[in-house]
Amino acid sequence: MLKFLSLSLLVILFVSGCNTNNGKEDIFKFKDSFVGDNSAVGNIANHLQGAEHLKGFELETKDKPYGIILNYDWSESEQNYKKTAIFNATFLFALVQNTDWITFNFNNQEYKITKENLQNWYGEDFSEFTNEDELITLTQRYLEDEDKVNQLFQ
């Protein structure tokens, strides 16, 4: 009986170990989602910067252009709000194919970013990205430049 229990425990540990992803879910499994997919948009938003402060989101799907409104309860600096909005918008535009705009509400600050403006700002087409690391590299390169960040919101 002890051998059976030990073997069972070993099998369970092995199987659960094969299914782990170091606790990190691949956010790109939501690529090609649509604004109307509440579950996909929610999962993506819950994996992005400031997710612990996300208080809710709304999907604007009745009329084109389609959009997402993300509401945060977060006290940060204006520059951090801007960087978070850019980072999160980059991922949402890359993963949710029919999103035209995103509004970020941070306490008393609101930022609206359109897909067209952000792609022009980067000089990149978001549909070309295939993994999280590529997008992180892109965003980090641009977010390091405070003037460039502020330029997007002028």
Side-chain angles (χ1 to χ4, degrees):
M1 181 68 164
L2 188 56
K3 272 185 166 179
F4 175 74
L5 289 175
S6 296
L7 182 61
S8 297
L9 181 60
L10 184 62
V11 168
I12 290 170
L13 289 173
F14 176 75
V15 170
S16 66
C18 290
N19 290 330
T20 61
N21 191 6
N22 292 332
K24 185 177 176 184
E25 185 177 7
D26 181 16
I27 195 170
F28 264 77
K29 77 179 188 178
F30 300 107
K31 185 162 175 62
D32 296 327
S33 299
F34 291 91
V35 171
D37 187 345
N38 195 34
S39 177
V41 173
N43 277 302
I44 294 166
N46 283 318
H47 285 87
L48 297 176
Q49 290 181 359
E52 64 276 11
H53 303 285
L54 182 65
K55 294 302 175 197
F57 64 94
E58 302 168 45
L59 304 177
E60 298 294 327
T61 60
K62 288 185 182 176
D63 298 311
K64 287 185 176 185
Y66 298 135
I68 301 170
I69 301 169
L70 297 167
N71 299 305
Y72 295 86
D73 182 13
W74 194 13
S75 295
E76 259 305 325
S77 71
E78 183 177 354
Q79 200 63 19
N80 283 343
Y81 289 151
K82 289 177 180 180
K83 288 180 178 183
T84 298
I86 293 169
F87 183 90
N88 291 357
T90 303
F91 272 84
L92 286 161
F93 287 136
L95 298 172
V96 184
Q97 61 179 306
N98 64 335
T99 306
D100 296 307
W101 57 267
I102 303 170
T103 297
F104 295 87
N105 292 314
F106 298 101
N107 289 341
N108 296 325
Q109 290 291 107
E110 180 179 291
Y111 302 97
K112 184 172 184 175
I113 300 175
T114 67
K115 184 174 189 175
E116 182 180 359
N117 285 347
L118 192 58
Q119 285 187 141
N120 289 339
W121 185 75
Y122 281 122
E124 300 278 347
D125 179 359
F126 296 134
S127 65
E128 303 297 318
F129 291 92
T130 59
N131 66 64
E132 187 174 354
D133 291 335
E134 291 175 346
L135 275 183
I136 289 173
T137 300
L138 173 71
T139 58
Q140 285 176 341
R141 189 171 68 236
Y142 282 79
L143 294 179
E144 290 173 359
D145 185 344
E146 302 276 329
D147 292 332
K148 184 84 171 158
V149 167
N150 292 328
Q151 175 190 6
L152 181 65
F153 296 101
Q154 292 178 354

